[in-house]
């Protein structure tokens, strides 16, 4: 009877396609919106992830996310270096500074100053030049992928900046000596790397300028113990990479409303899918009510009819799920290559599959209840 | 013919009692109401009727007289409110819903006015449905359905969809479907009303030829006077009561074999 159920389903082409399209739409919406949400969440941690040389980040206890630059006093570095279990500790500057391109195009950029001696905390991959080139006079490097967008000269240059160009940061000279490639960041501002000392020269004069202390532990050191020791000695907060990524992600998702917005979109996909699939499956059942009645009269039990209905719902569910997920992935490839956030870990297809399964079960429940209540006597004309 | 599958009757059934006296269906004082309160309608008012093995019984009467309700009660797809109705010694009202469904599947064949063929299934697949419901494998069911279609003269149309068949051919597929599992009772609801006179006549000739047998009982609801000649007996209903039972030409022509 399973084959009979499938033949009934496939035979009504219009409703069959409508059901698949409805569920595919729900699957697309759920998987795509969830993937964008995960992609955005992932991007919020890209800076910390790309700067994973350290085991611990020492920061002001009120820091809320990775770009929340709350300065530390200079002697923090020395105090951290003196704590048992610390192999090395280097300073990192991060601040929002005004930058000007050669043609006068102005922008606010995130300037990151790396420890002069080690250049620890630098980007993961250089495209043009070497990281060591930062030791040259007035040297800075910028994101290669942002050349055509964020570093495009708009005031007559008509081209992106290139290695050798002079620019200014807070009205002080800088020279582009290389480009790097980093993970796509959630933050829109262009990022400029330089050395720690030069970054302090660019930054406005303040009593405290150091943003983070990056700490590497000795091989046998216990992360939690060292972190506790640092916090006790400095009154600051010491976070692992994972903790810092989670702090940033949670803050941005909650404070920007992204979670709610994308959550609503995912929920909407679920509701729309349920409504479309439910209504169409119910209509399909109503259209076939006489046939179900005939089957019931001929001895098909409720169990058989329930299985037939479930098979029909699950078939369109599986097809719609596959098509929707495929389209979602394709769309993800397209927007991903355009630099937009899209990330589909294996959990998303699984969760989307569960959601589609629930949609199918809800949709078929309506139809099943109708079939179960059906009196087989309807097959006879009243008289 | 002997039944292919029969359901074990419930403990309180008197299986064999009716068979010994040649009665297949025994209804006494059958009453059925629809609705309740002021909207309550009485469709059957104490029907007394018996149908014998090997007999083709027609239920006739004007619209609303209760003939469809009666055939529904006899076929076990509608519960009566009062009275007694035993089919092959079994009382449906003593059965659970599941038992009734199983009993129908094994013992009752249906022919509907609107054929009720599944439009997306071929003729042989439609005819095989009762066997598949009984759990027979698809291959075996299709083979038996093909044989039955050959008996109703549609041996070469097994792979046609209902939409590719004429009304008469569709009704023949429905007859094949009603007979394929060798049921003991065949109930037909206006089997010729959707057909022209000539086709209806041929369908009834076919029914008499292959559906009537010593172990089988046919009950046909109709208001088509042109087919009365095929009945062994005709029960005329009016206002929920049996007004008269007369012999049809089926007896004279040797219909009740």
């Amino acid at each position: 009877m399973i084959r009979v159920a499938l033949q009934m389903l496939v035979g009504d082409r219009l409703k069959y396609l409508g059901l698949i399209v409805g569920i595919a739409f729900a699957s697309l919406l759920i998987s795509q919106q969830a993937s964008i949400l995960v992609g955005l969440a992932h991007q919020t941690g890209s800076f910390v992830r790309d700067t994973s040389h350290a085991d611990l980040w020492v920061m002001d206890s009120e820091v809320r996310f990775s770009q929340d630059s709350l300065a530390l006093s200079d002697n923090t570095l020395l105090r951290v270096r003196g704590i048992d279990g610390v192999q090395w500790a280097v300073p990192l500057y991060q601040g929002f500074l005004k930058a000007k391109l050669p043609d006068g195009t102005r922008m606010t950029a995130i300037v990151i100053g790396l420890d002069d001696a080690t250049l620890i905390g630098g980007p993961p991959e250089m495209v043009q030049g070497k990281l060591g080139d930062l030791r040259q006079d007035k040297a800075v490097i910028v994101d290669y992928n942002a050349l055509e967008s964020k570093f495009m000269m708009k005031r007559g240059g008509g081209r992106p900046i290139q290695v050798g160009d002079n620019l200014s940061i807070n009205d002080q000279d800088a020279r582009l000596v290389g480009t790097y490639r980093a993970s796509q960041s959630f933050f829109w501002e262009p990022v400029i790397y330089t050395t720690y000392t030069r970054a302090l020269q660019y930054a406005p004069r303040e009593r405290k300028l150091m943003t983070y202390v990056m700490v590497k532990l000795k091989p046998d050191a216990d992360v939690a113990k060292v972190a506790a020791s640092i916090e006790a000695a400095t009154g600051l907060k010491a976070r692992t990479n994972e903790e810092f990524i989670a702090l940033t992600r949670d803050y941005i998702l909650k404070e920007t409303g992204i979670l709610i917005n994308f959550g609503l979109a995912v929920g909407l996909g679920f509701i729309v899918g349920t409504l479309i699939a439910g209504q169409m499956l119910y209509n399909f059942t109503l259209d076939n009510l006489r046939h179900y009645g005939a089957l019931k009269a001929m001895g098909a039990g409720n169990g058989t009819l329930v299985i037939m209905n479930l098979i029909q719902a699950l078939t369109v569910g599986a097809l719609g799920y596959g098509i929707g997920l495929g389209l979602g992935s394709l769309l993800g490839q397209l927007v991903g290559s355009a630099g937009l956030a899209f990330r589909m870990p294996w959990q998303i297809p699984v969760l989307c599959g569960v959601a589609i399964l629930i949609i199918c079960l809800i949709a078929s429940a309506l139809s099943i209840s109708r079939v179960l209540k059906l009196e087989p006597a309807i097959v006879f004309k009243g008289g | 013919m002997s039944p292919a599958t029969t359901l074990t009757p419930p403990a309180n059934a008197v299986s064999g009692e009716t068979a010994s006296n040649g009665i297949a269906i025994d209804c006494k004082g059958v009453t059925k109401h629809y609705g309740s309160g002021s909207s309550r309608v009485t469709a059957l008012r104490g029907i007394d009727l018996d149908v014998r093995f090997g007999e083709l019984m027609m239920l006739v009467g004007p619209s609303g007289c209760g003939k469809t309700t009666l055939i529904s009660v006899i076929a076990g797809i509608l519960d009566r409110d009062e009275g007694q109705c035993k089919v092959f010694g079994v009382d449906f009202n003593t059965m659970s819903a599941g038992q009734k469904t199983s009993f129908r599947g094994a013992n009752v064949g249906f022919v509907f006015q609107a054929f009720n063929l599944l439009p997306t299934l071929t003729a042989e697949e439609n005819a095989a449905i009762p066997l598949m419901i009984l759990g027979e494998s698809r291959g075996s069911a299709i083979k038996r359905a093909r044989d039955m279609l050959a008996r109703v003269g549609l041996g070469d149309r097994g792979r046609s969809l209902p939409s590719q068949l004429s009304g008469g051919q569709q009704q023949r597929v429905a007859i094949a479907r009603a007979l394929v599992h060798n049921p003991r009772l065949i109930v037909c609801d206006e089997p010729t009303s959707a057909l022209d006179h000539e086709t209806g006549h041929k369908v009834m000739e076919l029914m008499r030829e292959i559906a009537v047998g010593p172990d089988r009982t046919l009950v046909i609801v109709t208001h088509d006077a042109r087919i009365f000649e095929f009945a062994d007996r005709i029960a005329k209903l009016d206002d929920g009561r049996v007004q008269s039972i007369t012999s049809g030409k089926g007896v004279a022509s040797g219909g009740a074999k």
Side-chain angles (χ1 to χ4, degrees):
Chain A
M1 294 305 286
I2 288 172
R3 189 158 163 176
V4 171
L6 292 176
Q7 283 174 288
M8 284 173 74
L9 175 70
V10 177
D12 193 340
R13 291 280 163 83
L14 205 61
K15 283 206 172 57
Y16 176 57
L17 292 177
L19 273 163
I20 290 176
V21 168
I23 291 177
F25 179 69
S27 172
L28 169 67
L29 205 58
I30 291 170
S31 63
Q32 192 241 9
Q33 293 294 305
S35 296
I36 291 176
L37 176 63
V38 171
L40 287 173
H42 187 77
Q43 284 187 355
T44 60
S46 59
F47 167 66
V48 180
R49 209 172 285 111
D50 283 351
T51 318
S52 59
H53 318 86
D55 296 319
L56 286 171
W57 294 71
V58 181
M59 64 193 77
D60 189 285
S61 58
E62 292 182 17
V63 164
R64 297 162 300 169
F65 56 99
S66 59
Q67 273 65 27
D68 192 17
S69 306
L70 300 179
L72 312 173
S73 69
D74 290 344
N75 61 14
T76 301
L77 181 63
L78 298 174
R79 291 166 75 178
V80 170
R81 280 175 175 162
I83 288 169
D84 200 27
V86 173
Q87 186 173 337
W88 52 253
V90 294
L92 189 86
Y93 171 83
Q94 180 184 252
F96 289 81
L97 302 179
K98 294 183 188 75
K100 196 191 293 181
L101 302 187
D103 70 336
T105 302
R106 293 179 299 171
M107 65 186 69
T108 298
I110 296 174
V111 175
I112 296 172
L114 308 176
D115 176 52
D116 295 49
T118 61
L119 297 179
I120 283 172
E125 180 192 351
M126 291 298 293
V127 180
Q128 294 167 295
K130 301 188 298 290
L131 190 60
D133 292 341
L134 279 181
R135 295 196 178 95
Q136 295 174 24
D137 186 34
K138 301 172 185 172
V140 296
I141 57 174
V142 299
D143 186 358
Y144 177 81
N145 290 330
L147 288 177
E148 298 284 346
S149 53
K150 298 170 187 174
F151 291 106
M152 178 65 81
M153 293 191 282
K154 297 168 186 165
R155 291 193 176 181
R159 64 167 178 82
I161 58 169
Q162 58 192 31
V163 172
D165 278 349
N166 291 313
L167 45 156
S168 68
I169 300 173
N170 261 359
D171 294 329
Q172 298 180 64
D173 292 342
R175 188 167 55 88
L176 187 65
V177 297
T179 57
Y180 65 87
R181 185 175 282 123
S183 306
Q184 188 72 32
S185 174
F186 176 79
F187 301 94
W188 175 248
E189 287 80 6
V191 179
I192 300 173
Y193 279 89
T194 187
T195 61
Y196 183 75
T197 305
R198 196 172 301 118
L200 297 192
Q201 290 168 4
Y202 292 143
R205 300 315 305 164
E206 291 179 41
R207 194 164 62 86
K208 298 178 186 176
L209 285 167
M210 186 169 62
T211 317
Y212 299 111
V213 175
M214 297 173 67
V215 177
K216 184 72 179 176
L217 304 185
K218 289 176 180 170
D220 56 345
D222 182 86
V223 179
K225 280 184 182 171
V226 176
S229 300
I230 291 172
E231 290 177 1
T234 62
L236 301 170
K237 191 76 185 170
R239 291 188 166 97
T240 63
N241 288 319
E242 291 72 27
E243 288 169 345
F244 198 17
I245 288 170
L247 177 80
T248 304
R249 181 194 61 220
D250 293 349
Y251 176 80
I252 289 171
L253 290 186
K254 285 174 191 164
E255 296 301 319
T256 60
I258 287 175
L259 187 63
I260 292 172
N261 288 330
F262 281 90
L264 283 175
V266 170
L268 199 64
F270 183 84
I271 292 167
V272 168
T274 306
L275 289 177
I276 292 177
Q279 201 233 350
M280 295 198 82
L281 201 64
Y282 189 68
N283 277 350
F284 173 79
T285 304
L286 286 185
D287 288 350
N288 284 288
L289 218 49
R290 282 191 74 80
H291 297 131
Y292 283 118
L295 291 174
K296 220 168 178 176
M298 287 189 284
N302 282 338
T304 303
L305 297 179
V306 167
I307 288 170
M308 287 176 73
N309 211 290
L310 280 175
I311 290 288
Q312 288 164 345
L314 293 177
T315 300
V316 290
L319 289 170
Y321 166 70
I323 292 169
L325 197 65
L327 285 175
S329 303
L330 194 67
L331 209 62
Q333 292 294 319
L334 294 176
V335 298
S337 61
L340 298 176
F342 188 92
R343 191 175 174 82
M344 191 185 279
W346 64 267
Q347 290 91 341
I348 287 181
V350 170
L351 288 175
C352 181
V354 170
I356 296 298
L357 180 66
I358 293 170
I359 285 174
C360 290
L361 292 178
I362 292 172
S364 60
L366 294 170
S367 301
I368 286 169
S369 68
R370 191 74 182 84
V371 170
L372 291 182
K373 286 180 198 161
L374 178 67
E375 288 288 343
I378 69 151
V379 292
F380 287 144
K381 184 173 161 280
Chain B
M1 288 184 213
S2 61
T5 317
T6 52
L7 179 80
T8 305
N12 59 347
V14 281
S15 183
E17 176 199 314
T18 49
S20 62
N21 58 18
I23 302 297
I25 298 162
D26 185 15
C27 296
K28 285 189 176 66
V30 172
T31 301
K32 176 68 185 175
H33 309 285
Y34 292 111
S36 59
S38 59
S39 61
R40 180 167 149 134
V41 174
T42 302
L44 302 177
R45 300 171 189 271
I47 294 277
D48 292 330
L49 182 75
D50 60 73
V51 186
R52 299 171 197 130
F53 281 102
E55 186 175 43
L56 194 161
M57 165 71 82
M58 283 189 187
L59 305 179
V60 304
S63 288
C65 70
K67 55 188 186 294
T68 297
T69 300
L70 180 58
I71 200 176
S72 299
V73 170
I74 289 171
I77 56 177
L78 191 67
D79 288 336
R80 67 181 187 276
D81 293 327
E82 293 159 33
Q84 178 187 304
C85 186
K86 288 182 178 175
V87 177
F88 308 123
V90 174
D91 186 345
F92 283 122
N93 276 27
T94 63
M95 291 176 162
S96 67
Q99 283 177 315
K100 271 189 277 193
T101 302
S102 299
F103 185 91
R104 284 199 307 269
N107 295 289
V108 185
F110 291 86
V111 178
F112 307 105
Q113 177 185 4
F115 321 135
N116 275 343
L117 299 176
L118 288 170
T120 54
L121 268 58
T122 62
E124 61 191 24
E125 286 168 338
N126 265 293
I129 283 177
L131 296 171
M132 289 193 271
I133 288 173
L134 288 172
E136 192 158 329
S137 72
R138 179 183 165 80
S140 167
I142 293 282
K143 187 175 177 301
R144 285 177 64 185
R146 210 173 282 149
D147 294 342
M148 187 52 72
L149 281 175
R151 289 190 64 192
V152 299
L154 290 176
D156 57 340
R157 302 306 302 270
R159 295 187 182 240
S160 300
L161 292 170
S163 59
Q164 297 167 322
L165 300 172
S166 68
Q169 287 173 324
Q170 288 187 53
Q171 195 59 302
R172 280 199 267 170
V173 174
I175 291 168
R177 181 180 64 184
L179 295 173
V180 72
H181 56 308
N182 213 0
R184 291 190 289 173
L185 170 63
I186 296 171
V187 292
C188 310
D189 180 42
E190 308 276 11
T192 59
S193 67
L195 307 174
D196 60 61
H197 174 64
E198 188 182 341
T199 309
H201 207 269
K202 283 180 181 170
V203 162
M204 285 310 300
E205 281 179 341
L206 181 70
M207 294 272 274
R208 275 235 69 111
E209 183 188 333
I210 67 168
V212 177
D215 299 325
R216 184 177 280 156
T217 302
L218 265 79
V219 180
I220 296 177
V221 162
T222 185
H223 62 263
D224 184 357
R226 296 170 302 185
I227 65 167
F228 288 176
E229 61 185 285
F230 293 94
D232 294 316
R233 284 193 300 155
I234 299 169
K236 187 177 180 188
L237 276 69
D238 196 11
D239 194 26
R241 294 185 180 89
V242 176
Q243 298 295 322
S244 63
I245 297 178
T246 55
S247 292
K249 289 183 181 175
V251 176
S253 61
K257 297 161 198 166

